[in-house]
Structures are given as structure tokens and as C-alpha cells.
Amino acid sequence: MRQPTVYLLSCGDELLFGHTLDTNSAWLAQECTLLGWRIVGHRTIGDVTPDIVGAFLDAASRADVVIVTGGLGPTRDDRTRNGLAHAMGVSLFEDPEAVEEIAARFRQFKRPMGENNKLQALIPEGAKRIFNPAGTAPGIEADLLGARVFCVPGVPKEMRAMFDQTIRPHLTGAPGATSEYMRRLHLCGCGESEIGAMLQPLMRERSNPEISTTVAETIVTVRLYANGATLDEAKRVAGEAEKEVRAILGGDIYGVDGETLQEAVYRLLKERGAKVVTAESCTGGMVAAMLVDVPGVSDVFLDGVVAYANETKTRRLGVPAEIIEKYGAVSRETARAMAETQLRAGTFPAPVYALATTGVAGPDGGTPEKPVGTVWIACSRLDPDGHGLTRTTLFNTVSDRHGIRLRSANAALDLLRRTILDIPVRSEVEDFTW
């Protein structure tokens, strides 16, 4: 049996021009998906009647249900009701019960109802109003080209109340509706194209589960979107696919669903009774800040130093001035010295790790040899027997100043994670024992 489908329309110039963020579509998509319906499209349209008419006709031709938010207010630029009437080929009429509902709401507010508010009582002939339990604007329910159309206000509180009252019951238990389940696997240190190539045999369109990837600031997420007759069946399908994905990606995966990279690092350190300190230059304390975002991190995070200027690297960390003079502040040697001197100078209980970053965050300061986005990262480990290991890697990225710092912080945390687990780093690395 075919899975039922939903198309989402958002009306309003404020959405089209980016002045207001459309949060309604994301919420509606999640709710409809949980009810077993497939979202086949989102579209944002302005307050232009012909555009609204075209959007109604297109959406109704593509889906079983069309849900429209916005454009039901009391002013002349609220044109959703007009657009729906034109699409249906009918006229608008003033619904007397809707007028009374609006008037009653104003009496509740102890305010007079303006004449313009009667515009909200206009609905297309053959349609019916939807009661608004949280505001003044009634919604509209109608049939168009065989699709069921629901129009509700764009105010999120009102939209959600009307969805729960009227739309959700219509969607619940529909023939062909399936239970949906989403599993997300997170990775760092690998490019999205690289991950896509590795998973290509599993990424078949309209398969169950559907497997796709997204990337944000070096964090790649593999999404497993499964469906089944029941939620347990959907979870089983996703679980089988996750085994296949893990067999391919292995230790590159650091977490699932809502787990962040810093939370994964915290978990690994705590499991091993290990600690961590940081020595940052170009990231300016961002690595430390990400770690302290994790509740309970005081169990593993001991100290963090921001040594931005060269003299600070020497004075506070003990990096020999001749290393900076010979190799430059942005170099493998300086990053290594920052991490190692942070451990050697402290009285930290082993095992303890030190994470260091030094680079060119831009927008100025780059050279042909070391362009903006060049970052050296080092991770040192001091073992209980007094011996140590330092792993260094070169990280290159293209972004603005904030993006370079954030991506470098992610790369540093992933280097720490891989060093703790003793698993390969996909970029070129060099290890030093001491």
C-alpha cells in the first residue's frame, strides 16, 4: 500500500525575504513523519495572490494532504484565503459562526472587535472553518484536486494547537501510514565526499532505510531513515543498516543521535580515568569552552591556557623561543612544544593528555607557504610510567575566522579521541615518543 503524502506551504513576505525564520515547517514535518506520512515538499511563497494560487494547485497535485501556514490575518496583505478560493474556482463568503467566534475572543480580551477582523471570517464556498483555540483567526479545511487542504495561522502557538485539534486526528491511522525512525551517526576527520563514496552501495533512493549524509563544520552525519509497520520494526530496520554502516566506517564514528564530539571525548576520558589540559593559540580557548559545555567535565578537564602571542607561548607554556624563531608560530614543532611543555611543566596525574592548536585564523596573516586556514594540532599523552607520546597533524580549511576556529577545535577534539582509542587519523600524522 502506498504511503500517504504531505506537502507543506508557508505564506508570507516576511518568510520569503528572510525577515522571519520559518520554524513551522520543521515542526510540522517532524510531526507528520512521526504519524507515518511522507513529506514530499516544502515551499515558501510571498503575499502575491497568483503565486499563492499556483502553489496551491501544484501542492494539491503532488500530495494527499496540503498544510498551509500563514496569511490568515486581518489585513489586506493576508491573501491565503483568497488564493485558496481562486484555486478552487469559488467565491469567499462570510461565515457567521466564524464572526461570532472572533467576536467572542475579543470580548474575552475586553476589547472591541475591529471591522477588519471580519476578514478573518471569510472562507471559500464549499470549505469549512477550523476553530482556533489559541487566537482570533479561524483556519480553513477544503478539498482541492483530490487533496485535503488545511490552512492554519502562522503564529506557532496557534498553528500547533490547531494541528493537534484538527489535523493530527485526520492523519492518525491513515491507510499505508508507517512508523518512522531516524538514527544519526556522527563522524569527524573524514570528508563528506569520502564518506559518501564508502557508503555508496548502501545509499539507494527510496530504499528502506534511506541513507544520506550532511556536513556542518567538519562534522559529518550519516542519517538512517527507516520505516516499518510498527516502531519496533522501523528500529529493527535501522539497526540492521547501522551494523552495515559501522562495518564500513568503524572507529570514524564518534557518537549517535544527540551526542556531541566533546561529550564523546568526555566519556572516553572518564572511562579510562584520564585527564586533559589544553594549550590554544588560534582557537582562542574554543576547545576548552566546548569541553566545559559538558556537565561533569570537571572530572576530566584540569587546565586550559590561551597562549596567543609568541612571548606568551614562551612565558606561560615554556615553549623555547628558538623553536618559534626557527620554525614559526604556525608549525608542527611549535604545536608539539605547546602540548609537551604543558604536560612537563605541570604536576598532572597520569594518564593525562594535552591538546594544542596554532594556526592562521584570518582574514589576514596568511602567506603563500601558510595560507589562512592553516592549523597545526598536537595531542600529547603522559603515561603513568613517565613516558609520553605526541601526535601531530596539519589541518587545512577554508572558511571565515569563526569557521576556521570552530573547525579546528573539532579537528583537535577528534585527534584527542583517536589518540585515546589508538585508531588511525585520516590526515597525515607524525608521532613522537618522549
Side-chain angles (χ1 to χ4, degrees):
M1 183 176 291
R2 183 180 68 85
Q3 186 179 12
T5 55
V6 174
Y7 200 109
L8 303 175
L9 291 178
S10 303
C11 292
D13 284 345
E14 71 280 5
L15 302 175
L16 187 64
F17 300 146
H19 300 149
T20 300
L21 182 65
D22 177 17
T23 59
N24 287 340
S25 292
W27 187 86
L28 285 168
Q30 293 175 30
E31 294 301 310
C32 293
T33 297
L34 288 173
L35 292 170
W37 290 62
R38 184 175 186 84
I39 307 299
V40 294
H42 293 189
R43 184 173 173 183
T44 301
I45 45 180
D47 297 315
V48 179
T49 300
D51 294 345
I52 298 172
V53 174
F56 268 118
L57 294 173
D58 180 63
S61 69
R62 294 171 180 265
D64 301 306
V65 165
V66 179
I67 303 176
V68 188
T69 58
L72 296 177
T75 59
R76 294 291 178 181
D77 64 335
D78 292 303
R79 300 188 174 103
T80 295
R81 59 180 68 86
N82 303 72
L84 178 58
H86 281 294
M88 295 172 64
V90 300
S91 300
L92 292 169
F93 78 97
E94 186 179 279
D95 186 324
E97 294 185 5
V99 173
E100 176 52 33
E101 287 175 0
I102 298 169
R105 180 69 68 181
F106 275 91
R107 287 194 296 272
Q108 180 183 352
F109 297 155
K110 298 184 174 15
R111 289 163 45 196
M113 184 180 77
E115 193 65 25
N116 278 352
N117 287 101
K118 288 187 176 181
L119 291 173
Q120 296 176 296
L122 296 175
I123 66 171
E125 293 176 349
K128 60 182 180 180
R129 77 187 185 289
I130 301 174
F131 175 67
N132 184 345
T136 60
I140 301 171
E141 180 178 349
D143 292 317
L144 178 65
L145 302 181
R148 182 67 59 87
V149 177
F150 296 94
C151 301
V152 293
V155 179
K157 179 182 178 181
E158 298 179 33
M159 178 276 295
R160 296 185 184 193
M162 296 170 78
F163 179 88
D164 288 337
Q165 174 184 271
T166 301
I167 304 176
R168 188 187 299 278
H170 177 81
L171 302 182
T172 300
T178 58
S179 293
E180 312 291 329
Y181 180 72
M182 175 78 79
R183 185 71 161 172
R184 294 171 293 153
L185 310 176
H186 307 298
L187 308 92
C188 187
C190 318
E192 185 182 19
S193 60
E194 182 181 7
I195 296 301
M198 296 170 68
L199 297 180
Q200 186 175 0
L202 305 180
M203 299 175 72
R204 297 178 292 272
E205 186 175 5
R206 301 299 188 194
S207 62
N208 186 24
E210 291 188 36
I211 300 177
S212 61
T213 62
T214 59
V215 63
E217 306 300 356
T218 72
I219 302 297
V220 178
T221 298
V222 179
R223 296 176 300 179
L224 312 177
Y225 180 77
N227 62 75
T230 64
L231 181 58
D232 286 343
E233 172 64 13
K235 288 182 176 180
R236 185 195 66 77
V237 171
E240 291 299 318
E242 182 177 347
K243 291 177 184 177
E244 294 185 80
V245 172
R246 287 186 177 275
I248 296 171
L249 300 179
D252 289 333
I253 298 171
Y254 71 74
V256 299
D257 295 333
E259 186 175 31
T260 65
L261 180 54
Q262 53 265 41
E263 288 171 340
V265 167
Y266 164 73
R267 171 171 47 80
L268 293 174
L269 289 168
K270 191 169 177 62
E271 288 171 355
R272 290 158 176 77
K275 312 294 183 180
V276 64
V277 297
T278 59
E280 301 180 64
S281 183
C282 64
T283 49
M286 190 173 282
V287 176
M290 292 171 69
L291 285 169
V292 299
D293 274 342
V294 182
V297 78
S298 57
D299 293 338
V300 301
F301 182 52
L302 299 178
D303 190 18
V305 174
V306 176
Y308 205 74
N310 289 345
E311 56 267 29
T312 308
K313 293 179 177 67
T314 298
R315 176 172 51 83
R316 293 197 61 190
L317 294 174
V319 175
E322 55 268 25
I323 287 182
I324 298 176
E325 183 177 349
K326 181 176 180 179
Y327 299 104
V330 181
S331 63
R332 182 193 303 273
E333 292 76 11
T334 296
R336 176 188 173 189
M338 290 171 65
E340 291 181 2
T341 54
Q342 175 78 320
L343 290 186
R344 288 170 171 162
T347 56
F348 304 118
V352 60
Y353 295 82
L355 205 50
T357 61
T358 180
V360 186
D364 303 316
T367 67
E369 295 77 22
K370 298 175 183 178
V372 171
T374 301
V375 181
W376 281 98
I377 304 171
C379 181
S380 293
R381 183 189 71 230
L382 177 63
D383 296 323
D385 61 7
H387 291 89
L389 167 74
T390 300
R391 173 173 284 181
T392 60
T393 187
L394 175 63
F395 177 71
N396 290 295
T397 189
V398 178
S399 186
D400 59 16
R401 185 175 179 84
H402 176 78
I404 290 170
R405 294 176 59 228
L406 178 56
R407 294 177 185 187
S408 300
N410 283 333
L413 288 171
D414 189 61
L415 178 63
L416 172 58
R417 182 186 72 88
R418 291 174 185 269
T419 303
I420 295 170
L421 292 172
D422 193 25
I423 58 177
V425 178
R426 290 190 174 273
S427 57
E428 183 180 347
V429 298
E430 189 170 347
D431 291 347
F432 306 87
T433 56
W434 44 280

